[in-house]
Amino acid sequence: MAETVIEVRGLRTQFGPHVVHDGLDLDVRRGEILGVVGGSGTGKSVLLRAITGLVTPAAGRVRMLGTDMQDAREAELDALAARIGVMFQDGALFSSLTVRENVETPLTTLSHLDAETRESLARLKISLAGLPWSAGDKYPSELSGGMRKRAGLARALALDPEIVFLDEPTAGLDPIGAADFDELIRGLSTALGLTVFLVTHDLDTLYATCDRIAVLAEKRVLVTGTLDDMLEVDHPWVRAYFQGPRARAARGEEIATPPADA
């Protein structure tokens, strides 16, 4: 069994009286790509933000890479931040900075790096994310949606993280662009030994990239397991999601076409 690098126990998140998660438990293993799915309003992105410390839980514990997020001192949290990368939806880039400058932003926390080294490292990460060299000198407004996502991924990789969090990385992409991004994620995970926490609703992405799935429902993680495991789960949402026509198409099964009216 691989090492557990993220451990969530009894997590409760809420905004005012609205409870998003209650009693949520989850383990993420080193080196895996974990896909987090769930219906609208189940708090997939909120869970990502709670684990990374961007949302303060009302109760429960989050332990990541040996650090207890609730009890850690500021210096410990700063050290942990250098070991993770986060890619938000649509990249969440600074519009007034070029792509290269966006990717350099996390590198400015490393005082031993001079400007030339930061620029070289930023351009390396831009290339790793599958962008052309020239993209580094463009502003986010000059990029397509897919290129902005890759730029966001490059910034998430800037500090050579152990864990990367991806929030809906293929949302809004055309099928070819989404497939290319799926291949990129899988390739980087293998080449760099990354652990990937991937929030998605895209069935094709699940089948192309993920080692395990965590299903959010009823304010908790209802079930975790492989894609094959999901086919055995007796729950209405899980059945509809993983056994419906789109899921069968993602698995490569032929979908029967209704006969035309005579």
Side-chain angles (χ1 to χ4, degrees):
M1 183 70 69
E3 173 193 0
T4 297
V5 292
I6 300 174
E7 181 182 280
V8 182
R9 292 292 180 269
L11 185 73
R12 179 183 177 91
T13 58
Q14 64 184 97
F15 301 96
H18 176 59
V19 177
V20 181
H21 307 121
D22 194 11
L24 184 150
D25 296 335
L26 178 65
D27 289 330
V28 182
R29 303 167 185 165
R30 183 175 293 279
E32 75 173 343
I33 301 179
L34 179 77
V36 179
V37 301
S40 178
T42 54
K44 301 181 291 294
S45 295
V46 173
L47 176 59
L48 183 154
R49 285 165 168 76
I51 292 174
T52 56
L54 298 175
V55 168
T56 302
R61 316 293 296 180
V62 176
R63 187 172 181 83
M64 180 159 52
L65 293 170
T67 298
D68 190 315
M69 301 289 286
Q70 280 64 50
D71 293 337
R73 294 171 303 206
E74 184 175 352
E76 292 175 301
L77 293 175
D78 288 344
L80 179 63
R83 300 172 69 189
I84 68 173
V86 183
M87 181 194 132
F88 298 103
Q89 293 186 36
D90 200 37
L93 302 170
F94 298 112
S95 61
S96 61
L97 301 180
T98 65
V99 169
R100 177 183 59 76
E101 290 167 339
N102 266 279
V103 178
E104 279 191 49
T105 300
L107 295 168
T108 59
T109 62
L110 304 179
S111 58
H112 63 282
L113 296 181
D114 58 36
E116 184 177 352
T117 302
R118 286 199 305 270
E119 179 176 345
S120 297
L121 287 172
R123 292 194 182 278
L124 172 62
K125 304 305 180 181
I126 289 166
S127 296
L128 277 176
L131 287 171
W133 186 269
S134 59
D137 298 319
K138 296 182 181 296
Y139 289 90
S141 61
E142 299 176 290
L143 304 179
S144 67
M147 293 178 74
R148 284 196 299 273
K149 287 178 181 290
R150 288 175 183 263
L153 178 60
R155 187 175 63 185
L157 296 172
L159 295 175
D160 296 325
E162 297 172 51
I163 305 175
V164 173
F165 295 84
L166 307 178
D167 193 358
E168 298 282 7
T170 58
L173 298 183
D174 63 75
I176 295 174
D180 287 344
F181 205 96
D182 291 340
E183 184 177 350
L184 175 65
I185 292 169
R186 189 83 224 180
L188 288 173
S189 174
T190 300
L192 303 179
L194 296 173
T195 302
V196 180
F197 183 101
L198 190 159
V199 172
T200 187
H201 68 278
D202 190 328
L203 280 157
D204 289 328
T205 293
L206 293 179
Y207 279 92
T209 65
C210 294
D211 301 301
R212 287 196 308 141
I213 310 297
V215 178
L216 295 188
E218 301 169 11
K219 297 186 171 78
R220 60 190 176 90
V221 173
L222 183 73
V223 63
T224 59
T226 65
L227 284 158
D228 287 340
D229 293 334
M230 296 301 114
L231 300 178
E232 306 299 323
V233 177
D234 185 18
H235 183 276
W237 190 88
V238 179
R239 284 199 307 272
Y241 189 78
F242 288 99
Q243 298 185 35
R246 290 189 178 185
R248 295 200 299 275
R251 290 196 296 272
E253 298 179 11
E254 290 189 9
I255 307 299
T257 303
D261 293 338

